[in-house]
Amino acid sequence: MDITSIKIKKFETESKMKAIASVTFDDCFAVHDIKVIENEDKVFIAMPNKRLKDGTFKDVAHPINFEFRQYIEGKVIEAYNNAEIEE
């Protein structure tokens, strides 16, 4: 499965969340609301999730293995680093 499109909405903020990404796979499946988070000296992604009744969060879409997570994270962070801040 290949990433065929990444759209980044980057914004200037004091919070740790720096952008939202939408990723399209093989021009036929999209995952929206992937968060780009900057924490101290590390940038990483958080997959879309929902809050459960007990207050915890559960991913609604996520990679099944570590290698595919690294692939997605690397591509999204690369797109984030090249994106302009939205006005």
Side-chain angles (χ1 to χ4, degrees):
M1 185 174 288
D2 292 317
I3 293 174
T4 51
S5 173
I6 298 176
K7 295 180 183 167
I8 300 285
K9 183 176 182 183
K10 188 175 187 178
F11 33 87
E12 193 168 340
T13 180
E14 294 297 317
S15 78
K16 293 179 181 181
M17 188 171 70
K18 301 298 183 183
I20 297 290
S22 293
V23 179
T24 303
F25 298 92
D26 291 339
D27 289 322
C28 63
F29 184 79
V31 178
H32 302 288
D33 297 330
I34 298 172
K35 298 170 195 75
V36 178
I37 300 170
E38 193 171 324
N39 190 8
E40 296 172 13
D41 62 341
K42 183 177 180 186
V43 177
F44 62 95
I45 64 169
M47 298 304 288
N49 57 45
K50 66 178 180 178
R51 184 186 297 261
L52 302 177
K53 290 180 182 179
D54 66 2
T56 61
F57 291 90
K58 181 174 176 103
D59 287 350
V60 294
H62 59 89
I64 297 299
N65 61 51
F66 181 73
E67 292 79 16
F68 198 63
R69 175 174 284 282
Q70 284 185 308
Y71 170 65
I72 295 170
E73 188 168 71
K75 293 292 187 179
V76 169
I77 291 171
E78 178 182 348
Y80 165 75
N81 287 335
N82 293 322
E84 299 291 325
I85 294 175
E86 302 225 349
E87 301 282 331

